Amino acid sequence: MDIGDQTDQLPVLQHALMRTWAHWQELDEPDRLITFTDYDSVGTMSDAMSRHANEAFEELSPRGKEICEKTLKTITEKAPIIRVSDIRPVSEL
């Protein structure tokens, strides 16, 4: 299995397996077993979350994409400690 001794990766594995199950259900072939091919088709642990995030992003409106990009850049950029006075509403992003 992809996880090995990295127990901190259990949520990533859970997400990949959830996506594998959803993929299998979408195929609507209840007599067919879930296989590694299904797991591989959703990206395995290494790419399933990224693919899912890209799918969600592509469903956004142009304004939604802009807000999403600004929000993610804001929460992931390395910066000094934010003071309470620096916090702005999402509408100002």
Side-chain angles (χ1 to χ4, degrees), residues 3-64:
I3 197 161
D5 292 331
Q6 302 171 355
T7 56
D8 61 329
Q9 293 296 301
L10 285 172
V12 178
L13 176 60
Q14 178 184 12
H15 186 84
L17 293 176
M18 176 201 68
R19 296 286 290 170
T20 301
W21 178 261
H23 168 76
W24 177 79
Q25 285 184 315
E26 287 171 10
L27 294 176
D28 196 26
E29 299 173 357
D31 294 332
R32 188 180 67 78
L33 297 176
I34 297 175
T35 66
F36 185 79
T37 302
D38 298 302
Y39 177 66
D40 194 48
S41 71
V42 300
T44 70
M45 278 184 60
S46 63
D47 206 30
M49 198 170 298
S50 178
R51 288 184 188 183
H52 194 192
N54 287 336
E55 289 172 17
F57 183 78
E58 289 305 318
E59 292 178 7
L60 297 173
S61 67
R63 178 68 178 137

